[in-house]
Amino acid sequence: MAIPKQCDVVVIGGGPAGSVVAALLRQKQYDVVLLERKKHPRYAVGESLIPHFWKYCDAIGVGDAIRAEGFVRKSGGTLVWHNVIRQLAFRDFGYTEPALHVERDRFDQILLEHARHSGVQIFEEVSVSSVDLDGGERPRVMYRTPDGAETGEVACRFVVDASGQGALIAKQLGTRVIDEGFRFMSVWGYFDGGKYVAGDGRAYDIEHLGTVLPQTFVSSVGGLGEWGWAWHIPLRKSTSVGLVLPVEHLKKIKATDEGLREYFLRKCSEIPYLGRLLEQARLIDGSIHMVRDYSYRSAQLAGPGFFLIGDAAAFIDPIFSIGVVMGMYSASVAVWAIDHSFRNPRQTTRNQAIFASQFRARLEVSRSLALPRYRGIGEAADLARQAIQFESLMEQELMYVVSVVTTRTDNFHEIAERRDGQKLVSTRFRELQDIVF
Amino acid sequence: MDTVEKLRDFIASELYKKGTPEELTPDYPLFEHHIVDSLGLLVLISFMEEQFGVVFEDDELTPGNFATIDAMARLIERKRVPSPDWREEGGSGAWRYPSSVMWS
């Protein structure tokens, strides 16, 4: 099948945000071309999903295919923050279906295949080189095949950039800025064997994953103040373990004779409980990854002829596993704005303004919960305050608990208060004296 | 049907399928009680603009304007009051809206 010369909407990128935006646009009968640089299944990090993602999957009709896949189901989170152990369970906040730990190569592939079956014209191993936005009149997306043998362009009414951390349009426009609040680097890898933590506060051998639901384990990293944390995410065949550290650490690692692998293993073993979970585990050869300076956002989220969604718009500290949900949320709002704009072209600017402010508000909520210290000043903070009031009281309690378990309640209260002016609190979590091994 | 009833029926049939319209009193906090979520807000905006011939600006999407059916009805009424220049001469007293106000 040849890549069409024109369509209604071109989606750049076939990750979760791209697949959801494309499938939702197809539901509304738009003619959608999706260009994906790689061939699925392809590797991606970010395996922990909060249960909010289900509603987006059900909206495009892929929920049952994901249920049938048999991904690891999890009951909530166990967080060890400055030696205090706290647990939360999603069912305590009205979520009847467990959240998941997913191998992202497979999860993303299921979503993309679903978009294809919905009628999206999907072309893999096609790189977008640039976008000529043409002032929003008739944007053209320029592409080439990997060997460079074939080049071409697709003309459309709207381009949705879901290119992930490639952030194609933001880089092209020069609107991508590093978030100075998060000067982090991350090192992660995959382990065979070992143990995991369940909702009863006990550690189980990895063989029990199917019978005793795990939790996502997160710990602060000692000696770094409020900075630095670690994740432990059991998957079907391995466990994803990673460290998020101040970027200055990179220099320290480079300055020593200790290699990255040795540094990573030593650091993991030194973290209370994480070290014990990994005692009998083996780091899989060649599974270490590293990235630096990864928190950024685009100063502009939409403009003439384009929308930025998911990681192509912004990437925040992944501590609360919100990335995939943010991608799907922004995809849904973009579809609302695109659909409205096709029907009432004169309202396009207004629709894009609504998309941008709604999305920006939720990004700021995530940012406020992830930063060690957040000052709720400025327009973005005001938007975040509004966004929280559009959440249910139960969801606000969940946000509060998430801020409790990482000792960031001051941040939460910078942007949230009850209608009566009192501070919103919740007791839907528990403290443990110990994790039982 | 008045504005409040139209809003209530729409929310009950499109967004609150588990409950009954009677629960949705005009002062019922829709977001707090998870009748409407952030995506439901957009569905509501589409409905209100189409049904009542108003256009909301981005900065009108505040919790105060959408928290309850009453708040939304008040917002619609405010949006519908045109400036005196548009009053129909010698008409029945009804307001007429230039099309540019409807869709600009």
Side-chain angles (χ1 to χ4, degrees):
Chain A
M1 189 168 64
I3 300 175
K5 296 259 183 280
Q6 53 190 349
C7 65
D8 294 327
V9 181
V10 174
V11 176
I12 305 171
S19 291
V20 168
V21 84
L24 286 172
L25 285 166
R26 271 306 299 156
Q27 280 182 359
K28 296 184 181 297
Q29 311 298 321
Y30 294 109
D31 187 12
V32 186
V33 171
L34 186 154
L35 305 177
E36 162 60 43
R37 188 162 53 92
K38 294 191 174 161
K39 173 84 182 159
H40 281 251
R42 56 91 182 93
Y43 173 77
V45 71
E47 297 98 348
S48 172
L49 302 183
I50 51 176
H52 307 60
F53 82 95
W54 284 115
K55 75 172 172 187
Y56 301 100
C57 291
D58 287 332
I60 62 168
V62 76
D64 286 340
I66 289 164
R67 288 178 187 96
E69 171 70 16
F71 288 117
V72 170
R73 307 190 313 152
K74 68 165 171 182
S75 61
T78 301
L79 290 96
V80 181
W81 215 263
H82 302 325
N83 302 316
V84 182
I85 309 165
R86 300 184 182 89
Q87 286 196 314
L88 67 95
F90 293 122
R91 64 163 186 274
D92 291 341
F93 299 90
Y95 288 94
T96 51
E97 190 161 8
L100 300 179
H101 288 165
V102 300
E103 293 81 9
R104 284 289 302 281
D105 55 350
R106 182 63 187 134
F107 180 78
D108 292 7
Q109 183 187 27
I110 293 171
L111 288 174
L112 190 73
E113 285 312 310
H114 180 78
R116 197 192 303 275
H117 289 138
S118 308
V120 178
Q121 300 178 73
I122 293 172
F123 301 91
E124 295 178 89
E125 297 183 280
V126 175
S127 295
V128 172
S129 44
S130 67
V131 178
D132 180 353
L133 292 167
D134 187 33
E137 286 300 310
R138 193 74 183 153
R140 290 173 303 137
V141 176
M142 266 62 84
Y143 65 82
R144 62 167 183 270
T145 50
D147 49 10
E150 196 188 324
T151 61
E153 61 181 59
V154 193
C156 59
R157 280 281 296 282
F158 293 105
V159 183
V160 179
D161 185 356
S163 61
Q165 304 212 356
L168 190 110
I169 289 181
K171 279 184 182 166
Q172 184 183 311
L173 297 178
T175 57
R176 185 177 177 275
V177 286
I178 299 290
D179 192 330
E180 294 297 334
F182 296 93
R183 297 305 306 268
F184 289 141
M185 56 168 281
S186 184
V187 191
W188 70 95
Y190 294 84
F191 287 82
D192 254 342
K195 293 179 186 290
Y196 66 93
V197 182
D200 59 4
R202 291 172 178 273
Y204 290 84
D205 286 334
I206 211 80
E207 290 73 32
H208 294 98
L209 267 183
T211 46
V212 183
L213 296 196
Q215 296 212 319
T216 306
F217 176 86
V218 168
S219 174
S220 59
V221 177
L224 300 172
E226 283 299 325
W227 300 93
W229 58 279
W231 77 73
H232 176 277
I233 301 169
L235 299 162
R236 287 178 289 188
K237 288 181 178 157
S238 66
T239 297
S240 171
V241 176
L243 306 172
V244 175
L245 304 166
V247 75
E248 295 75 44
H249 255 68
L250 195 62
K251 295 179 194 124
K252 288 186 193 160
I253 300 168
K254 284 184 175 165
T256 64
D257 291 336
E258 193 178 30
L260 184 63
R261 178 190 156 89
E262 286 66 35
Y263 171 84
F264 177 64
L265 284 171
R266 179 173 61 79
K267 207 75 193 166
C268 288
S269 71
E270 286 171 2
I271 296 170
Y273 299 110
L274 180 63
R276 289 188 70 185
L277 292 173
L278 296 175
E279 257 169 25
Q280 305 298 321
R282 188 185 63 81
L283 180 65
I284 296 169
D285 287 341
S287 74
I288 289 193
H289 297 72
M290 188 177 79
V291 64
R292 57 169 296 177
D293 271 354
Y294 61 59
S295 285
Y296 58 83
R297 64 193 161 82
S298 173
Q300 194 181 358
L301 298 176
F306 74 91
F307 292 83
L308 312 183
I309 64 172
D311 286 357
F315 184 76
I316 304 170
D317 190 33
I319 185 162
F320 300 123
S321 308
I322 197 123
V324 166
V325 167
M326 196 65 91
M328 292 177 169
Y329 166 78
S330 54
S332 305
V333 182
V335 169
W336 176 86
I338 289 168
D339 183 40
H340 254 249
S341 301
F342 270 113
R343 296 202 227 184
N344 281 298
R346 290 163 68 182
Q347 282 185 20
T348 301
T349 308
R350 194 282 311 247
N351 299 334
Q352 292 198 307
I354 288 180
F355 163 80
S357 62
Q358 296 289 308
F359 185 15
R360 187 174 168 217
R362 273 157 192 82
L363 286 169
E364 190 68 8
V365 171
S366 301
R367 190 168 172 271
S368 74
L369 293 176
L371 273 171
R373 274 176 302 280
Y374 177 76
R375 295 277 310 286
I377 49 176
E379 189 198 357
D382 290 339
L383 282 172
R385 282 187 191 95
Q386 293 191 3
I388 285 194
Q389 290 178 62
F390 281 126
E391 298 288 349
S392 69
L393 284 177
M394 195 70 102
E395 200 59 33
Q396 292 183 38
E397 279 197 42
L398 177 54
M399 289 181 192
Y400 170 80
V401 167
V402 153
S403 74
V404 169
V405 296
T406 52
T407 62
R408 283 153 163 81
T409 53
D410 287 350
N411 290 3
F412 178 74
H413 286 134
E414 283 278 307
I415 55 168
E417 66 174 24
R418 298 194 325 198
R419 265 192 297 167
D420 58 11
Q422 297 294 306
K423 284 186 174 175
L424 189 142
V425 295
S426 172
T427 55
R428 292 175 202 271
F429 66 97
R430 63 173 189 150
E431 274 187 29
L432 302 181
Q433 291 306 308
D434 203 0
I435 293 171
V436 181
F437 279 79
Chain B
M1 229 178 3
D2 70 6
T3 306
V4 166
E5 281 174 37
K6 282 180 182 164
L7 284 167
R8 191 193 62 190
D9 286 1
F10 177 78
I11 294 167
S13 64
E14 298 299 318
L15 299 171
Y16 188 43
K17 291 168 181 163
K18 280 179 261 177
T20 63
E22 287 69 37
E23 291 172 68
L24 299 176
T25 54
D27 60 349
Y28 194 75
L30 299 167
F31 290 91
E32 279 186 18
H33 292 169
H34 208 220
I35 310 299
V36 184
D37 63 10
S38 50
L39 295 180
L41 172 68
L42 300 177
V43 175
L44 267 175
I45 288 164
S46 301
F47 169 76
M48 288 159 76
E49 293 193 337
E50 207 161 296
Q51 181 73 36
F52 303 109
V54 292
V55 176
F56 301 116
E57 293 307 316
D58 173 37
D59 58 10
E60 289 175 315
L61 271 57
T62 61
N65 280 338
F66 289 87
T68 62
I69 289 175
D70 244 354
M72 286 185 260
R74 284 199 304 273
L75 175 66
I76 290 165
E77 294 315 312
R78 280 204 305 280
K79 300 284 289 183
R80 281 173 134 181
V81 175
S83 76
D85 301 342
W86 299 340
R87 188 165 194 167
E88 204 174 8
E89 291 289 335
S92 61
W95 302 106
R96 173 181 287 176
Y97 311 102
S99 60
S100 64
V101 174
M102 307 274 286
W103 299 119
S104 65

